[in-house]
Amino acid sequence: MPQGVRAQRRERTRQALLRESRRLFSKLGYAAVGLSEIVSAAGVTKGALYHHFDSKTELFRAVLLEVQQEVADRIAVTADAREEPWDQLIVGCQAFLDASTDPAIQRIMLIDGPAVLGWSEWRAMNEATSGRHLVEVINTLVEAGRIPERRAVPLIHLLSGATNEVALWLASSADPGDLANAREALTQMLEALR
């Protein structure tokens, strides 16, 4: 079998494992999903799973990274549609809240992510994906002289903490109006910084 065909087959197997584990993790939660369910749903063997991932935790890490990157991409597209950095900050933070109301994203990114990988690793992954956009827009505001440089790092952590906390709150809320209220409060808080 030619090398290119093997590489394509390996990638298809990896994608099937990611797709099916993501579906199962988002529906049932990490703790309730067994490896046998994942390989059965993906139509592969456990050996194929272990060829790509050392453990269920490693597979979950890959799924979480995929989810976080998708959220980061949504934030970037939304924020980049605006020219004014303050508007980018506001709509970017709102896009994070909007994305985090998706139950599948909530379960993987907000509930199981920190529980399975630990707070430190989860935070590092968050900072490397959607948190990166927050840093970029704050740095743009610093460079434009709109935020004092000494406030940039604390502000990044304050905003990251606030948006993650309200996203967790929204994940447990049954009131559909809470998202609009959270967006309004977030906008008011960010406008006060202007």
Side-chain angles (χ1 to χ4, degrees), residues 33-53:
V33 176
L35 289 179
S36 52
E37 286 175 89
I38 293 169
V39 296
S40 176
V44 302
T45 65
K46 276 192 180 178
L49 183 142
Y50 286 119
H51 176 76
H52 294 280
F53 304 99

Side-chain angles (χ1 to χ4, degrees), residues 103-125:
I105 288 174
Q106 288 175 345
R107 173 70 131 220
I108 292 169
M109 189 173 80
L110 299 172
I111 298 167
D112 285 345
V116 173
L117 300 180
W119 185 249
S120 294
E121 184 174 355
W122 180 85
R123 280 198 48 168
M125 291 174 75

Side-chain angles (χ1 to χ4, degrees), residues 21-32:
S21 58
R22 179 176 177 167
R23 182 181 63 79
L24 291 166
F25 290 149
S26 68
K27 182 179 178 185
L28 305 171
Y30 176 84

Side-chain angles (χ1 to χ4, degrees), residues 38-157:
I38 293 169
V39 296
S40 176
V44 302
T45 65
K46 276 192 180 178
L49 183 142
Y50 286 119
H51 176 76
H52 294 280
F53 304 99
D54 293 338
S55 64
K56 178 179 159 185
T57 303
E58 188 65 31
L59 176 58
F60 179 79
R61 183 177 288 111
V63 168
L64 175 59
L65 185 59
E66 186 178 86
V67 169
Q68 286 183 325
Q69 190 57 56
E70 287 174 15
V71 170
D73 292 345
R74 285 190 206 177
I75 292 168
V77 165
T78 303
D80 291 346
R82 303 294 180 105
E83 289 187 34
E84 162 61 37
W86 275 109
D87 293 340
Q88 290 176 341
L89 176 62
I90 291 168
V91 300
C93 288
Q94 289 177 343
F96 174 77
L97 293 184
D98 293 346
S100 64
T101 60
D102 178 333
I105 288 174
Q106 288 175 345
R107 173 70 131 220
I108 292 169
M109 189 173 80
L110 299 172
I111 298 167
D112 285 345
V116 173
L117 300 180
W119 185 249
S120 294
E121 184 174 355
W122 180 85
R123 280 198 48 168
M125 291 174 75
N126 183 56
E127 288 173 6
T129 53
S130 58
R132 187 180 77 243
H133 299 291
L134 179 60
V135 170
E136 289 171 0
V137 74
I138 294 294
N139 286 337
T140 299
L141 288 165
V142 167
E143 290 167 9
R146 312 234 351 241
I147 293 177
E149 188 173 352
R150 70 182 186 287
R151 289 192 198 157
V153 172
L155 185 57
I156 289 164
H157 289 282

Side-chain angles (χ1 to χ4, degrees), residues 166-179:
V166 79
L168 287 167
W169 171 68
L170 287 169
S172 64
S173 171
D175 184 347
D178 283 343
L179 175 60

